[in-house]
Amino acid sequence: MQHRRIWHAPGPLQIDYSIADTDEPDADYTIDVFTGMVGKGLAEVTQTVTEHGNTRSAPIDGLRLDQDHAYVFFRFTQKSSSGTDRAWTAPVWYEAT
């Protein structure tokens, strides 16, 4: 499994994203933000962002990872005339500095 660990001072963490699909530029997207703690049960959706069409760059604000052994990952859902597609990211592990 691929993963990445970040060190960040406690507090808000801003994640920037962009979406580009030249085959379906008018698709609708839902980005579900999952956060969790190692050994504390299943991750939960803590934020949902919606977009229409391709985006250059946009932030997911208000994400907080304040404790060691926290992690975040994302589920992208694309809805278009050709159906629904989903993609998941690998988790990003958080350690307080």
Side-chain angles (χ1 to χ4, degrees), residues 61-93:
D61 292 318
L63 183 60
R64 294 189 69 88
L65 298 174
D66 290 331
Q67 299 178 14
D68 281 344
H69 310 294
Y71 59 93
V72 60
F73 62 92
F74 305 90
R75 175 179 60 202
F76 293 83
T77 304
Q78 178 195 55
K79 293 183 181 179
S80 67
S81 59
S82 64
T84 300
D85 295 310
R86 288 187 183 83
W88 297 78
T89 67
V92 177
W93 303 97

Side-chain angles (χ1 to χ4, degrees), residues 4-58:
R4 180 162 186 150
R5 182 171 297 209
I6 60 171
W7 284 265
H8 179 6
L13 175 66
Q14 180 178 313
I15 303 289
D16 293 324
Y17 66 91
S18 63
I19 299 171
D21 186 341
T22 57
D23 294 335
E24 298 174 303
D26 292 321
D28 292 311
Y29 297 91
T30 301
I31 304 169
D32 293 311
V33 182
F34 287 79
T35 59
M37 296 282 297
V38 174
K40 303 287 185 182
L42 298 176
E44 296 180 357
V45 175
T46 55
Q47 192 171 354
T48 299
V49 177
T50 58
E51 290 286 350
H52 175 77
N54 295 334
T55 64
R56 291 200 180 253
S57 180

